[in-house]
């Protein structure tokens, strides 16, 4: 999925969260979106997800203007998996059931659901936890469950909003390693918003730095 921001601004009332941002993301990229809290990282992710619309400017997905056609939004959203700092799992459903629900929502073929659950649970190393409930898991396990859920739908893009925010260093690395493996083996685009400086320094990948709603650096220099 090709994503292009053309002079995209987003205002919340008098707050200018994003100011005339330009950048393009190609298929299969691993992109870090960095900046202090309040910089505008989540706003970018929400715009890509179609949860909010730009106040000015255009977002193009595969060359088509994003956000006008409800049917197109529904279709594109099915190709985007999301993970959050606070996991956002459903507490009264088991790990398996949480993943099954995500597959159900995208109308994944019923006869393939169990196989797909088995695959992703294996991939994130949670085979021994599959029948447990979120309250019975550690933070690292919760985030890997959230990743399995995002991955299950075979997304073209995974958006990760501060996914290591509640994790210790070992679990943060385990998660990042998984994201890198997924990116490499399936070509899934990963967009990772973080202010975790340790991660930033050791991940040798394209990085867009954002401050007060403006891009101050893009290591790919694709901004025009
Ligand atoms: P980050 O993800 O980098 O922490 P955000 O994109 O969440 O930053 O926020 C950017 C700015 O927009 C901040 O000043 C924030 O307070 C403001 N903002 C975000 N969402 C809303 C909202 N729904 N209503 C008003 N202001 C908001």
């Amino acid at each position: 999925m090709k994503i292009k921001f053309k002079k995209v601004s987003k205002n919340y009332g008098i707050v200018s969260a994003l100011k005339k941002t330009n950048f393009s993301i190609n298929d299969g990229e691993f992109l870090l979106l960095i900046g202090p809290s309040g910089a505008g990282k989540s706003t970018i992710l929400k715009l890509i997800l179609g949860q909010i619309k730009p106040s000015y400017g255009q977002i193009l997905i595969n060359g088509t203007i994003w956000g006008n056609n409800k049917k197109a939004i529904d279709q594109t959203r099915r190709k985007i998996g999301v993970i959050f700092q606070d996991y956002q799992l459903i507490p009264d459903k088991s790990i398996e059931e949480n993943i099954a629900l995500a597959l159900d929502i995208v109308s994944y073929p019923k006869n393939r659901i169990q196989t797909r659950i088995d695959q992703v649970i294996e991939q994130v190393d949670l085979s021994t936890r599959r029948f447990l409930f979120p309250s019975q898991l550690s933070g690292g396990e919760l985030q890997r469950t959230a990743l399995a859920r995002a991955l299950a739908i075979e997304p073209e893009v995974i958006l990760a909003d501060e996914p290591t925010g509640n994790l210790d260093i070992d679990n943060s690395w385990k998660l990042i390693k998984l994201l890198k493996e997924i990116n490499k083996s399936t070509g899934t685009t990963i967009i990772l918003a973080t202010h975790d400086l340790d991660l930033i320094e050791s991940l040798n990948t394209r990085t867009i730095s954002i401050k007060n709603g403006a891009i101050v650096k893009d290591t790919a220099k694709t901004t025009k």
Side-chain angles (χ1 to χ4, degrees), residues 166-183:
N166 288 326
L167 303 184
D168 61 29
I169 193 83
D170 285 349
N171 279 303
S172 296
W173 277 112
K174 190 160 183 176
L175 184 78
I176 296 300
K177 210 170 146 234
L178 275 168
L179 287 170
K180 285 198 94 168
E181 272 167 24
I182 291 161
N183 172 254

Side-chain angles (χ1 to χ4, degrees), residues 93-96 128-134 136-137 141:
K93 289 194 183 297
S94 71
I95 301 324
E96 272 212 13
T128 59
R129 300 285 187 272
R130 58 196 306 152
F131 302 120
L132 297 182
F133 290 81
Q136 298 172 298
L137 300 186
E141 290 167 342

Side-chain angles (χ1 to χ4, degrees), residues 2-21:
K2 290 184 169 53
I3 301 165
K4 190 176 175 92
F5 274 49
K6 285 169 76 177
K7 289 193 183 165
V8 173
S9 299
K10 177 68 192 178
N11 303 328
Y12 296 104
I14 56 162
V15 177
S16 174
L18 215 55
K19 299 166 189 160
K20 290 191 177 173
T21 47

Side-chain angles (χ1 to χ4, degrees), residues 10 12-13 15-18 35-44 46 161-162 193 195 210 213:
K10 177 68 192 178
Y12 296 104
V15 177
S16 174
L18 215 55
S37 180
K41 304 180 297 295
S42 299
T43 299
I44 290 179
K46 285 179 189 159
D161 197 354
E162 299 281 2
H195 64 259
I210 168 160

Side-chain angles (χ1 to χ4, degrees), residues 50-217:
Q51 273 181 351
I52 55 173
K53 288 185 175 182
S55 306
Y56 302 97
Q58 285 179 337
I59 299 170
L60 304 177
I61 303 263
N62 294 331
T64 304
I65 295 176
W66 175 227
N68 291 336
N69 180 325
K70 194 177 173 307
K71 206 171 154 203
I73 292 183
D74 284 347
Q75 278 172 355
T76 303
R77 270 199 190 155
R78 287 165 183 235
K79 299 177 192 158
I80 304 177
V82 193
I83 59 174
F84 304 95
Q85 177 168 355
D86 59 355
Y87 324 119
Q88 300 196 9
L89 298 167
I90 296 170
D92 61 355
K93 289 194 183 297
S94 71
I95 301 324
E96 272 212 13
E97 288 165 345
N98 265 280
I99 300 169
L101 186 66
L103 289 166
D104 206 32
I105 288 168
V106 299
S107 312
Y108 202 83
K110 286 221 176 336
N111 59 348
R112 287 173 45 211
I113 286 188
Q114 190 59 50
T115 313
R116 187 61 187 147
I117 292 173
D118 294 347
Q119 280 172 348
V120 290
I121 281 187
E122 175 91 355
Q123 203 168 351
V124 302
D125 193 19
L126 284 177
S127 300
T128 59
R129 300 285 187 272
R130 58 196 306 152
F131 302 120
L132 297 182
F133 290 81
S135 62
Q136 298 172 298
L137 300 186
S138 72
E141 290 167 342
L142 289 168
Q143 194 56 294
R144 296 209 304 285
T145 303
L147 178 59
R149 178 180 61 178
L151 194 58
I153 62 165
E154 299 175 31
E156 291 181 26
V157 179
I158 292 178
L159 306 178
D161 197 354
E162 299 281 2
T164 60
N166 288 326
L167 303 184
D168 61 29
I169 193 83
D170 285 349
N171 279 303
S172 296
W173 277 112
K174 190 160 183 176
L175 184 78
I176 296 300
K177 210 170 146 234
L178 275 168
L179 287 170
K180 285 198 94 168
E181 272 167 24
I182 291 161
N183 172 254
K184 210 172 159 199
S185 63
T186 60
T188 309
T189 303
I190 310 279
I191 306 175
L192 171 59
T194 185
H195 64 259
D196 185 335
L197 290 174
D198 284 340
L199 290 186
I200 297 159
E201 277 169 18
S202 40
L203 269 173
N204 185 18
T205 191
R206 178 179 173 196
T207 304
I208 290 181
S209 312
I210 168 160
K211 234 182 206 166
N212 294 322
I215 292 177
V216 290
K217 191 173 176 193

